[in-house]
Amino acid sequence: MTEDAAPDLRASDADRERVAEILRDALAEGRLDMEEFEERLDATYRARTYGELAPITRDLPAARGAAVPAVSLTKDPEAAGSWPDRIVGGDDAGTSTWAVAVMSGFQRKGRWTAPRRFNCFAFWGGGEIDLREANFADREVVINAVAIMGGIDVVVPPGVEVVVRGIGIMGGFDHREEGVPGEPGAPRVIVTGFAFWGGVGVQRKLPRADKQRLREERRRQKLERKAAGHQLDGPRRDRPGLNLHGLHGLPDRHAEEHGEHGRGRGRDDDR
């Protein structure tokens, strides 16, 4: 996989971790200083595509000949590996096929099966359709959303292709997640319907387990940066000629003599 082949393809957490490992090796070898390492590591975890990851390690030896991390799109467990298991098929597949909110709200989230067509309606209310942990009845599912003076949010995981075909009158449909290529084997979600004085939003978010894992990884990276910073600061603390004892209570012989003379002068002044 190269940058020229698929610069717009979505990167997975595993891809970002491979780049982070290259950066750690470069820091340990002295190819990057701490400031460069932190800047590139932050850019790594912000990257969404292979095209954004490629420049981060292009000038490092581990990245020569491979502009982006080499991954198998059909076997990488962070990418398409789990999609075939989540597309369950079957004529009766679908935990729920409709939802209504009138001056109230509804949610479809967690472990559920999204049908081939899900119809929902919100009037003076709101609803949330969360597909991050859902199974899919088919490779293509349709979310038909009607929002009148209300709002409906559709949440999809990374790797899913989104197509928005809704109509808005004094309202609108969110098109920001359109145009992102889907991963091989991933389902396609079509959001359609009607919005009047309301809106239908589409968001792309990591599943909760992946978000937790990413937070733990960032916490570990922060601790490693702190440890590396202490190691770099260590030699400065031990420079010859710096009397650390004298700065804290003056425990050495010269300090004690200095303290005694000082106390003596204080008594003479009192007299």
Side-chain angles (χ1 to χ4, degrees):
M1 182 65 64
T2 64
E3 180 184 10
D4 295 333
D8 297 327
L9 195 64
R10 303 282 294 207
S12 71
D13 288 345
D15 298 327
R16 284 182 280 270
E17 179 55 32
R18 290 188 184 95
V19 174
E21 189 64 33
I22 293 174
L23 296 178
R24 289 189 212 103
D25 292 342
L27 175 67
E29 294 168 357
R31 301 181 190 277
L32 297 177
D33 59 27
M34 182 59 64
E35 183 177 355
E36 288 177 306
F37 172 75
E38 291 180 351
E39 290 176 355
R40 296 196 188 197
L41 191 65
D42 289 340
T44 297
Y45 287 119
R46 289 197 305 268
R48 302 179 68 184
T49 65
Y50 286 155
E52 293 174 357
L53 281 177
I56 297 174
T57 57
R58 184 177 289 145
D59 59 344
L60 298 177
R64 290 175 185 171
V68 297
V71 296
S72 170
L73 292 176
T74 58
K75 296 182 180 180
D76 186 356
E78 298 293 335
S82 62
W83 290 123
D85 296 333
R86 295 179 61 179
I87 300 175
V88 296
D91 295 335
D92 299 327
T95 304
S96 175
T97 59
W98 62 274
V100 175
V102 178
M103 293 185 289
S104 62
F106 68 81
Q107 282 187 330
R108 296 293 184 275
K109 61 191 303 184
R111 298 287 184 180
W112 69 294
T113 300
R116 292 183 177 85
R117 184 179 181 87
F118 184 86
N119 297 300
C120 53
F121 173 77
F123 175 73
W124 277 20
E128 181 184 21
I129 304 165
D130 192 335
L131 301 173
R132 287 178 292 175
E133 299 177 12
N135 292 326
F136 298 83
D138 204 344
R139 288 190 178 276
E140 182 173 288
V141 299
V142 176
I143 307 294
N144 181 47
V146 177
I148 299 177
M149 292 183 287
I152 297 174
D153 288 324
V154 180
V155 183
V156 300
V160 170
E161 182 185 1
V162 176
V163 178
V164 180
R165 298 174 180 169
I167 299 173
I169 298 177
M170 291 185 289
F173 278 71
D174 190 349
H175 291 260
R176 287 177 295 179
E177 295 300 336
E178 273 195 305
V180 179
E183 294 172 351
R188 185 183 193 216
V189 176
I190 300 175
V191 181
T192 185
F194 176 73
F196 177 73
W197 278 17
V200 177
V202 181
Q203 304 178 62
R204 195 182 299 271
K205 296 182 179 180
L206 286 172
R208 292 173 179 82
D210 291 345
K211 289 174 67 175
Q212 179 64 27
R213 181 163 49 82
L214 188 57
R215 281 195 295 266
E216 292 175 355
E217 173 62 22
R218 287 176 176 171
R219 188 180 302 115
R220 184 176 66 84
Q221 295 289 345
K222 185 177 181 181
L223 293 175
E224 289 180 356
R225 290 198 296 269
K226 282 186 177 180
H230 289 321
Q231 291 175 0
L232 293 175
D233 291 341
R236 288 198 290 271
R237 296 193 186 99
D238 299 332
R239 286 181 297 181
L242 180 61
N243 185 358
L244 296 178
H245 297 294
L247 296 178
H248 302 285
L250 301 174
D252 60 8
R253 182 173 58 83
H254 297 293
E256 291 173 358
E257 293 176 357
H258 177 74
E260 291 174 359
H261 293 322
R263 288 193 297 273
R265 285 195 296 269
R267 286 194 296 271
D268 291 340
D269 293 341
D270 292 338
R271 289 195 294 268

